């Protein structure tokens, strides 16, 4: 008998000793491990000297062994002199921050016994390698035959992937390094292999699939910017870190993206204490970098000599400065990281990537097709960019996509280098104009919510289009786009931004034809009206009406809207005769062109005029007609406008229950549709209702919420009766509460969300007071 077979063997001896130490019989151990007593006996007699890895794992579980005990049992099962495969993993250079959820999910998938191939995908710099390394280090006990780390970044040929893996597993390469040859080395080992940086070697996918089929104990964790597209593969996309929910200290401190920035800033010797000022700057940095971990780390390296504010102002320069020397060369700047990704793309994908840089936000498939240019279908190249994690698909209605901001900046630089920036920006502006053209009528009817949501999604592209059109001397096109969408800018609280894009076009107003001048001045009038600039509204509305009258039939709808806005401005300014004249002009025009929106708003404006002139009963009758017209039209903002006006009238006549009913429905519409302009009026009136009912704390919250809504959207309440009511009751509320309680309620109110308002409004009335909403 040879020395190799003499005696029961190391595994047999160790297993028997462990069983006896646990005070278990062979039968008891067999039952716990899911084996037979006969199998346990054979193992302890040395008749089976090389048990399967899953058998060793089952025995370790049954014996309750710790990490050292498991390794000792696994080592005893290996032939003499055979070391566990590559037990040493790289040491993480920095702690993993902000990935607790992803870590738990990936670890659970690899432990469940059914996931054989898990691929972490995502853009360069998102932290795939860091997460894979932490998971691999944590799963050592789950894989008794070891965890093997294979860095494939230096490998340039897909045919060398298995050879590289073979060297990592056993220190030598089997002849041919084929799946069959490597399978003879791996055998039935329970082994975790991490294939890091596989994106440029996707041609090796079939070899990986073959190897998995031959080695039942093998589990592969891969990192790649694109999936391998194998049937056995389970893909786990890794996105950027969640951004702060707001600029407040607590929100920034809770954000994974901010935690990474602050952690790396502290490590670089630039610890950032969170204050109101620094938190806002850190939030802006995280948002600008889209939560991309590598970009955050590179930026944080500059915190040792730049505070967050100056760093934010110099962010592009900071990202172009080489980062830590222990980063791979391809990751020392964001540019280098994205160069690596760019080089893996086809020529068509490279062209599309740089052209998509013109989008400031998300974009639809149709608009991407227009911007791409040419006659070919954009889908294949776009799909390739999605697969390479350079374009991110978004949930929601219709296919939409976006570029992470660091990727967009990189692509924009590529676009400029290619000399295509101007023509592509022109195509994008024209595509946005075509898309938004339907808003001219869509925003004024029952489809208003859908159009508001669509334009919200296109907000950044709308802004870019207006800037491009004005900047290239196409003021007429900018004016038409502004007039088609002014109601969106106003209702969603973006009136000041809209004015900022359109006011430069006014310098060229004298060179425009009558239709374009009407469009420009109408847009400016509507936006000034939302912002509370009553004289500016009157001025722009008059200019729009004059130009529209000269333009003829093509601008009749613009003419009608301009007359309504001018009449409302005159009512607010107390110029009641002028308001009456304008309303007399617009009524027949609205009827002749069948413009229902103008008809409903004309009735509302006339009710405002009657209210201000003291004829409350006539105002109420006019509002009844306005309500019927608004509900027939089906535009939520128009309905809410009438309801707010009815609420104001009811408060003036002491009918608080009626006012509450109307204002609560207005709040519900505003919350459902997201119309900040409506809430700017609804909230103070609700606060007056609460004050009249003695609900002073709630009144203070509602006043504060109205103030915050108006400030956030640069909106203003301009209707004099509403202003007078608020000025009368706000001091009453403050005095009733006292300064300390008032300040606390005010703080709560400023944090309210639009969705909170209907519930608060419902709480103002008596519990047994039924709603009397009219239909």
């Amino acid at each position: 008998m040879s020395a190799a077979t003499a005696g029961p063997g190391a595994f047999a001896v160790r297993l028997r000793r462990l069983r006896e130490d646990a005070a278990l019989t062979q039968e008891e151990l067999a039952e716990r491990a899911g084996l037979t007593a006969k199998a346990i006996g054979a193992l302890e007699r040395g008749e089976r000297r090389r048990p399967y890895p899953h058998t060793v794992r089952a025995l370790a579980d049954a014996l309750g062994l710790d990490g050292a005990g498991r390794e000792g049992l696994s080592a005893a099962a290996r032939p003499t002199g055979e070391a566990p495969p590559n037990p040493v993993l790289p040491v993480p250079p920095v702690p993993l921050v902000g990935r607790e959820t992803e870590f738990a999910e990936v670890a659970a998938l690899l432990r469940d016994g059914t996931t054989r191939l898990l691929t972490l995908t995502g853009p360069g710099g998102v932290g795939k390698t860091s997460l894979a390394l932490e998971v691999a280090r944590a799963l050592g006990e789950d894989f008794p035959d070891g965890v093997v780390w294979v860095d494939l970044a230096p490998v340039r040929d897909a045919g060398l992937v298995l050879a590289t893996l073979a060297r990592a597993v056993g220190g030598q390469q089997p002849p041919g390094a084929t799946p069959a040859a490597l399978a003879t080395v791996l055998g039935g080992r329970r082994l975790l292999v991490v294939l890091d940086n596989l994106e440029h070697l996707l041609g090796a996918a079939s070899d990986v699939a073959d190897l998995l089929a031959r080695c039942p104990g093998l589990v592969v964790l891969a990192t790649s910017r694109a999936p391998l597209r194998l049937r056995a593969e389970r893909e786990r996309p890794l996105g950027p870190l969640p951004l702060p929910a707001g600029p407040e200290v607590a929100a920034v401190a809770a954000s994974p993206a901010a935690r990474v920035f602050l952690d790396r800033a502290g490590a670089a010797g630039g610890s950032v204490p969170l204050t109101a000022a620094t938190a806002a700057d850190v939030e802006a940095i995280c948002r600008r970098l889209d939560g991309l971990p590598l970009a955050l780390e590179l930026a944080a390296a500059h915190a040792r000599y730049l505070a967050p504010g100056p760093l934010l102002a110099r962010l592009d320069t900071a990202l172009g400065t080489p980062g830590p020397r222990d980063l791979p060369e391809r990751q020392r700047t964001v540019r280098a990281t994205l160069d690596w990704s760019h080089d893996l793309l086809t020529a068509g994908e490279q062209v599309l990537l740089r052209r998509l840089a013109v989008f400031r936000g998300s974009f639809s498939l149709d608009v991407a097709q227009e911007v791409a240019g040419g006659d070919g279908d954009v889908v294949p190249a776009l799909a390739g960019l999605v697969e390479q994690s350079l374009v991110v698909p978004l949930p929601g209605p219709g296919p939409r996509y976006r570029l992470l901001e660091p990727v967009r900046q990189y692509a924009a630089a590529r676009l400029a280098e290619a000399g295509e920036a101007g023509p592509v920006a022109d195509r994008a502006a024209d595509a946005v104009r075509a898309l938004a053209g339907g808003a001219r009528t869509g925003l004024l009817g029952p489809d208003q919510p859908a159009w508001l949501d669509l334009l919200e999604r296109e907000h950044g592209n709308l802004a870019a289009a207006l800037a491009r059109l004005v900047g290239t001397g196409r003021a007429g096109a900018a004016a038409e786009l502004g007039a088609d969408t002014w109601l969106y800018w106003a209702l969603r609280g973006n009136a000041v931004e809209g004015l900022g894009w359109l006011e430069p076009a006014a310098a060229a107003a004298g060179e425009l034809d009558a239709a374009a001048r009407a469009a420009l001045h109408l847009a400016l009038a509507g936006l000034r009206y939302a912002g509370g600039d009553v004289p500016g509204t009157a001025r722009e509305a008059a200019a729009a009406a004059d130009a529209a009258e000269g333009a003829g039939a093509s601008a009749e709808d613009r003419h009608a809207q301009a007359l309504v806005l001018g009449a409302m401005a005159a009512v607010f300014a107390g110029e009641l005769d002028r308001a009456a004249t304008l309303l007399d002009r617009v009524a027949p025009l609205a009827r002749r062109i069948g413009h229902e929106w103008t008809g409903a708003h004309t009735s509302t404006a006339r009710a405002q005029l009657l209210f201000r002139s003291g004829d409350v009963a006539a105002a109420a009758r006019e509002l009844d007609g306005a309500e019927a017209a608004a509900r027939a039209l089906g535009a939520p903002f128009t309905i809410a406008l009438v309801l707010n006006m009815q609420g104001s009238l009811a408060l003036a006549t002491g009918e608080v229950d009626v006012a509450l009913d109307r204002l609560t429905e207005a709040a519900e519409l505003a919350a459902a549709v997201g119309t900040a302009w409506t809430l700017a009026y609804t909230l103070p009136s609700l606060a007056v209702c609460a004050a009249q009912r003695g609900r002073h704390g709630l009144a203070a919250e509602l006043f504060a919420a109205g103030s915050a809504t108006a400030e956030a959207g640069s909106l203003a309440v301009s209707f004099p009766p509403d202003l007078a009511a608020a000025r009368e009751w706000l001091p009453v509320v403050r005095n009733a509460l006292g300064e300390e309680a008032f300040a606390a309620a005010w703080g709560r109110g400023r944090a309210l969300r639009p969705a909170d308002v209907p519930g608060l409004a419902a709480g103002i009335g008596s519990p047994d007071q039924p709603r009397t909403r009219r239909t």
Side-chain angles (χ1 to χ4, degrees):
M1 184 178 292
S2 68
T5 59
F11 183 82
V13 172
R14 181 177 288 267
L15 177 61
R16 181 172 181 175
R17 177 171 56 79
L18 289 170
R19 177 178 61 79
E20 291 174 347
D21 288 347
L24 296 173
T25 65
Q26 288 185 347
E27 289 76 9
E28 290 170 334
L29 177 58
E31 183 178 356
R32 289 188 179 189
L35 303 171
T36 65
K38 183 178 179 180
I40 299 293
L43 289 170
E44 291 191 354
R45 290 191 298 273
E47 295 172 6
R48 289 183 55 196
R49 292 176 176 268
R50 185 73 185 276
Y52 291 116
H54 65 268
T55 299
V56 177
R57 187 168 65 255
L59 289 168
D61 290 341
L63 291 164
L65 301 182
D66 59 13
R70 287 173 177 270
E71 174 55 30
L73 189 62
S74 296
R78 289 190 288 268
T80 304
E82 181 181 316
N86 194 26
V88 178
L89 291 170
V91 176
V94 298
L96 188 69
V97 177
R99 292 292 190 195
E100 294 81 4
T101 300
E102 293 90 341
F103 172 87
E105 180 183 336
V106 172
L109 286 171
L110 293 174
R111 283 180 172 131
D112 71 5
T114 62
T115 303
R116 300 287 311 286
L117 169 61
L118 179 62
T119 305
L120 300 178
T121 60
V126 81
K128 301 181 295 294
T129 296
S130 297
L131 178 58
L133 182 54
E134 285 292 335
V135 170
R137 293 177 67 83
L139 294 186
E141 293 184 10
D142 297 271
F143 292 90
D145 291 312
V147 178
V148 179
W149 183 271
V150 186
D151 181 7
L152 295 171
V155 179
R156 290 293 175 266
D157 185 345
L160 298 177
V161 169
L162 290 190
T164 307
L165 171 57
R167 285 194 297 272
V169 170
Q172 59 183 353
Q173 177 178 328
T178 63
L182 186 52
T184 62
V185 174
L186 298 180
R189 296 183 190 177
R190 176 68 175 166
L191 188 69
L192 174 64
V193 169
V194 183
L195 300 178
D196 190 35
N197 298 298
L198 194 56
E199 57 269 353
H200 59 301
L201 303 167
L202 296 178
S206 59
D207 286 342
V208 173
D210 194 352
L211 187 63
L212 285 167
R214 294 172 183 271
C215 302
L218 178 65
V219 175
V220 173
L221 173 61
T223 73
S224 175
R225 300 182 192 191
L228 278 65
R229 289 195 286 185
L230 296 173
R231 286 181 297 171
E233 180 181 36
R234 180 158 186 166
E235 182 185 1
R236 177 44 169 97
L238 194 62
L241 294 165
L243 299 172
E248 301 80 13
V249 172
V252 172
S255 162
R259 285 166 50 203
V260 167
F261 175 81
L262 296 170
D263 177 82
R264 301 318 304 147
S271 180
V272 179
L274 281 182
T275 64
T278 60
D281 289 333
V282 170
E283 188 265 350
I285 290 170
C286 294
R287 196 163 298 281
R288 176 84 174 277
L289 299 180
D290 241 324
L292 199 63
L294 177 64
L296 292 167
E297 181 172 354
L298 293 174
H302 298 267
R304 67 181 183 275
Y305 54 85
L306 284 176
L311 176 58
L312 177 62
R314 297 167 175 82
L315 205 52
D316 291 342
T317 303
L319 294 180
T321 305
R325 291 186 176 87
D326 61 342
L327 282 172
E329 188 68 36
R330 67 183 187 281
Q331 290 188 330
R332 293 198 184 166
T333 65
V334 170
R335 171 87 188 206
T337 297
L338 293 172
D339 278 340
W340 171 273
S341 293
H342 185 268
D343 291 345
L344 300 177
L345 303 177
T346 66
E349 291 166 351
Q350 290 177 350
V351 170
L352 181 60
L353 177 65
R354 65 177 180 255
R355 291 178 180 175
L356 294 178
V358 297
F359 294 118
R360 299 300 182 100
S362 67
F363 54 89
S364 67
L365 181 60
D366 290 341
V367 175
Q369 182 72 58
E370 293 295 322
V371 167
D375 299 325
D377 187 357
V378 75
V379 170
L382 184 61
L385 295 176
V386 170
E387 187 169 84
Q388 290 289 333
S389 303
L390 291 168
V391 171
V392 181
L394 300 178
R400 291 192 70 83
Y401 309 87
R402 69 182 286 256
L403 277 66
L404 299 178
E405 183 57 22
V407 176
R408 195 200 66 78
Q409 292 179 20
Y410 170 86
R414 287 277 187 176
L415 185 67
E417 291 165 5
E420 299 177 341
V424 173
D426 287 336
R427 288 204 297 272
D430 289 338
V432 170
R433 284 181 61 209
L435 176 69
R440 181 169 181 170
T441 56
L443 281 173
L444 307 183
D447 294 333
Q448 185 180 81
W451 273 101
L452 288 172
D453 289 343
L454 172 62
L455 296 174
E456 184 84 60
R457 292 192 293 271
E458 297 289 348
H459 181 98
N461 300 323
L462 274 173
L466 287 169
R468 179 67 184 174
L469 293 170
V470 173
T472 55
R474 300 169 65 190
E480 293 290 343
L481 180 57
D484 291 343
T485 60
W486 76 264
L487 196 57
Y488 157 72
W489 295 93
L491 290 180
R492 287 286 166 92
N494 301 308
V496 169
E497 182 184 353
L499 281 171
W501 296 120
L502 286 170
E503 282 180 330
E511 304 170 12
L512 302 178
D513 62 30
R517 287 201 312 278
L520 175 62
H521 290 297
L522 172 64
L524 293 173
L527 295 174
R528 293 190 186 285
Y529 179 40
D533 181 358
V534 174
T537 302
R539 181 179 66 252
E540 298 292 353
D546 290 345
E549 196 165 19
S554 66
E556 284 183 324
D557 61 333
R558 313 274 202 222
H559 190 189
Q561 289 184 61
L563 290 172
V564 171
L565 289 172
M568 288 182 168
V571 170
F572 288 11
E575 300 172 357
L576 303 187
D577 291 341
R578 174 171 171 74
T581 299
L582 291 172
L583 290 173
D584 288 342
R585 286 174 59 191
V586 73
L589 175 61
R591 286 193 297 270
R592 181 167 60 80
I593 65 175
H595 205 250
E596 293 90 348
W597 186 91
T598 300
H601 284 256
T602 299
S603 292
T604 306
R606 194 173 296 280
Q608 292 172 335
L609 170 60
L610 292 167
F611 186 12
R612 290 220 67 192
S613 65
D615 194 343
V616 175
R621 289 193 298 272
E622 189 71 40
L623 280 176
D624 287 341
E627 182 185 2
R631 293 192 187 277
L633 177 64
F637 169 66
T638 304
I639 297 171
L641 174 67
V642 175
L643 291 168
N644 273 338
M645 185 64 204
Q646 288 175 328
S648 299
L649 196 66
L651 281 175
T653 57
E655 298 175 276
V656 180
D657 289 340
V658 174
L660 269 175
D661 181 72
R662 305 296 179 264
L663 294 169
T664 300
E665 185 181 356
E668 290 170 349
L669 283 169
V673 182
T675 49
W677 194 5
T678 297
L679 278 182
Y681 276 83
T682 307
L683 283 162
S685 293
L686 282 172
V688 172
C689 290
Q692 291 190 14
R693 285 284 173 83
R695 304 291 300 277
H696 297 116
L698 183 54
E701 291 184 29
L702 291 166
F703 273 128
S707 173
T709 300
E711 288 176 16
S714 296
L715 301 165
V717 174
S718 304
F719 189 49
D722 290 342
L723 287 171
R727 288 168 180 160
E728 176 186 355
W729 284 96
L730 182 59
V732 173
V733 170
R734 184 189 292 268
N735 291 334
L737 289 174
E739 287 302 320
E740 184 176 347
F742 178 81
W746 192 267
R748 292 193 301 272
R750 290 188 65 84
L752 286 174
R753 301 166 302 169
D756 300 328
V757 178
L760 292 176
I764 297 173
S766 302
D768 57 350
Q769 178 67 40
R771 291 288 302 277
T772 57
R773 179 190 303 173
R774 293 180 291 180
T775 59

